[in-house]
Amino acid sequence: DAGVIQSPRHEVTEMGQEVTLRCKPISGHNSLFWYRQTMMRGLELLIYFNNNVPIDDSGMPEDRFSAKMPNASFSTLKIQPSEPRDSAVYFCASSLRDRRGNSPLHFGNGTRLTVT
Amino acid sequence: TQLLEQSPQFLSIQEGENLTVYCNSSSVFSSLQWYRQEPGEGPVLLVTVVTGGEVKKLKRLTFQFGDARKDSSLHITAAQPGDTGLYLCAGEVDSGYALNFGKGTSLLVTP
């Protein structure tokens, strides 16, 4: 089991540039989540997908943020244009959700984004 | 507004001491999960509690879910340096789908 794979591990970019974060969930999982972690706000849910369909994107901070899941094995989170306040660690997580719920999340190791 | 409040925010203790960290909310959760996160890595699930009043043990770690399913605690007996990390609680509300996380308790255990 390779786990959830995120790339890149680190991204440093200048304000105004486009940033794309990538995620490969665990094979067979039907739910995918994007979280952002900062010291001030902790782990914040940005968006989640179920069976590749976005269910709730109310956590996406602004229109500058967008996420896609074109198939069950790949998702992207894009920030355009990036701003210094977007600096954070971005985590992708996947789970296999059934009718009972209570599904544990399996996290990737995150992408540390620094916008200068 | 944070749905889940964790306390204390930081805790520094010596090896061999006992400790308890708390996770509180005004909301009722269908389940609550505890995760541990180490630097440079994503959170890893420790346990899921589902039933009010439930107690689960994982070696030296004891997890309790409150009777009203609004709060939880994690007790560590005889802490070891390997217990160092960020402990996060996460809850799934009855009508919800995704997990809401607390800000975590950062634990440092020194030899």
Side-chain angles (χ1 to χ4, degrees):
Chain A
D1 183 359
V4 175
I5 299 173
Q6 290 186 247
S7 64
R9 284 301 309 272
H10 302 273
E11 177 79 40
V12 180
T13 190
E14 291 184 347
M15 182 174 62
Q17 296 298 307
E18 178 180 297
V19 175
T20 300
L21 310 181
R22 296 173 175 80
C23 175
K24 177 178 170 55
I26 291 174
S27 177
H29 281 188
N30 58 8
S31 298
L32 184 140
F33 305 79
W34 283 99
Y35 284 87
R36 177 171 69 176
Q37 188 175 39
T38 61
M39 285 288 293
M40 288 294 293
R41 301 173 70 90
L43 264 171
E44 300 175 280
L45 177 65
L46 299 177
I47 186 171
Y48 64 88
F49 296 84
N50 184 239
N51 293 321
N52 311 337
V53 176
I55 302 299
D56 185 354
D57 65 354
S58 60
M60 298 285 260
E62 299 172 28
D63 291 344
R64 298 184 296 106
F65 286 68
S66 62
K68 294 182 179 180
M69 192 165 186
N71 57 63
S73 60
F74 185 65
S75 177
T76 59
L77 177 67
K78 185 177 293 186
I79 308 172
Q80 166 62 20
S82 58
E83 296 182 3
R85 60 192 167 124
D86 300 332
S87 297
V89 181
Y90 290 80
F91 285 101
C92 174
S94 69
S95 72
L96 177 60
R97 186 172 181 86
D98 57 26
R99 290 182 183 178
R100 297 175 301 171
N102 309 321
S103 313
L105 297 186
H106 297 260
F107 283 83
N109 283 331
T111 294
R112 180 174 293 277
L113 173 64
T114 302
V115 184
T116 61
Chain B
T1 302
Q2 200 76 19
L3 192 61
L4 286 159
E5 297 289 341
Q6 291 192 245
S7 61
Q9 188 176 358
F10 299 100
L11 189 57
S12 180
I13 62 171
Q14 289 193 320
E15 183 176 3
E17 292 185 25
N18 302 330
L19 66 116
T20 303
V21 299
Y22 301 92
C23 174
N24 295 294
S25 177
S26 57
S27 298
V28 176
F29 294 100
S30 58
S31 68
L32 199 140
Q33 300 175 9
W34 284 91
Y35 291 77
R36 182 169 69 203
Q37 183 179 17
E38 299 188 17
E41 299 181 6
V44 176
L45 180 72
L46 295 173
V47 76
T48 300
V49 286
V50 178
T51 306
E54 181 177 4
V55 176
K56 280 193 174 179
K57 291 192 174 183
L58 187 65
K59 296 183 180 178
R60 294 175 294 100
L61 278 60
T62 302
F63 303 85
Q64 185 162 7
F65 201 12
D67 291 341
R69 292 186 292 138
K70 292 183 178 181
D71 55 84
S72 181
S73 64
L74 160 58
H75 181 79
I76 302 179
T77 303
Q80 299 178 1
D83 296 326
T84 293
L86 179 67
Y87 288 82
L88 296 157
C89 66
E92 185 172 319
V93 297
D94 286 331
S95 60
Y97 189 89
L99 285 177
N100 295 282
F101 280 82
K103 288 186 179 181
T105 292
S106 181
L107 172 65
L108 175 64
V109 183
T110 54

